[in-house]
């Protein structure tokens, strides 16, 4: 990784790039790893202070929240741009994990097939 960091967030975008966002002493820094080309790319810096944040790819955008900032922002890979979401967290939170799951038709919230 080009920039040493810890307490950062990582997320795979729809493009297949692995994004590393923020971290201690690199709160705004965003870099992406292309596993096919085995190369790192510098991306547009995040807007908020993203130390102890979480990220997830939802609806084609990479959302990041938490850390020492109450804002929620999202990244558009196609135009390399971060945008602040209109919603904010009630308070700044140190977060350490996030997952996104798509439910298939016919599945209920208990992950069992509906009868």
């Amino acid at each position: 990784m080009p920039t040493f960091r810890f307490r950062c967030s990582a997320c795979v975008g729809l493009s297949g790039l692995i994004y590393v966002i923020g971290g201690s002493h690199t709160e705004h820094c965003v870099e992406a790893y292309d596993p096919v080309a085995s190369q790192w790319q510098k991306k547009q810096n995040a807007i908020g202070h993203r130390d102890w944040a979480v990220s997830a790819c939802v609806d084609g955008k990479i959302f990041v929240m938490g850390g020492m900032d109450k804002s929620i922002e999202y990244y558009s890979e196609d135009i390399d741009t971060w945008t602040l979401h209109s919603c904010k967290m009630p308070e700044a939170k140190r977060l350490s994990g996030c997952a996104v799951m798509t439910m298939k038709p016919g599945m209920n919230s208990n992950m069992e097939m509906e009868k």
Side-chain angles (χ1 to χ4, degrees):
M1 203 169 9
T3 305
F4 172 79
R5 60 180 86 203
F6 57 100
R7 297 192 314 236
C8 56
S9 181
C11 181
V12 177
L14 288 180
S15 67
L17 297 178
I18 302 168
Y19 287 83
V20 181
I21 303 162
S24 182
H25 307 296
T26 57
E27 297 88 1
H28 305 279
C29 183
V30 179
E31 293 165 328
Y33 179 70
D34 181 341
V36 174
S38 189
Q39 294 180 334
W40 283 94
Q41 304 167 13
K42 174 72 177 106
K43 297 296 184 178
Q44 181 66 38
N45 282 348
I47 299 167
H49 183 131
R50 300 300 172 199
D51 181 12
W52 288 97
V54 295
S55 59
C57 188
V58 179
D59 291 333
K61 304 221 181 312
I62 296 173
F63 283 78
V64 64
M65 65 185 75
M68 305 312 293
D69 195 308
K70 297 190 312 184
S71 69
I72 298 170
E73 58 189 292
Y74 58 90
Y75 178 75
S76 301
E77 288 184 279
D78 55 341
I79 55 175
D80 189 31
T81 301
W82 288 94
T83 304
L84 284 175
H85 194 279
S86 58
C87 183
K88 286 188 174 189
M89 295 176 59
E91 59 186 60
K93 295 261 186 201
R94 289 182 176 181
L95 302 171
S96 62
C98 180
V100 176
M101 180 175 71
T102 302
M103 299 293 286
K104 292 182 180 180
M107 300 291 283
N108 65 27
S109 61
N110 293 324
M111 306 255 323
E112 299 171 354
M113 291 298 291
E114 292 179 358
K115 296 181 180 160

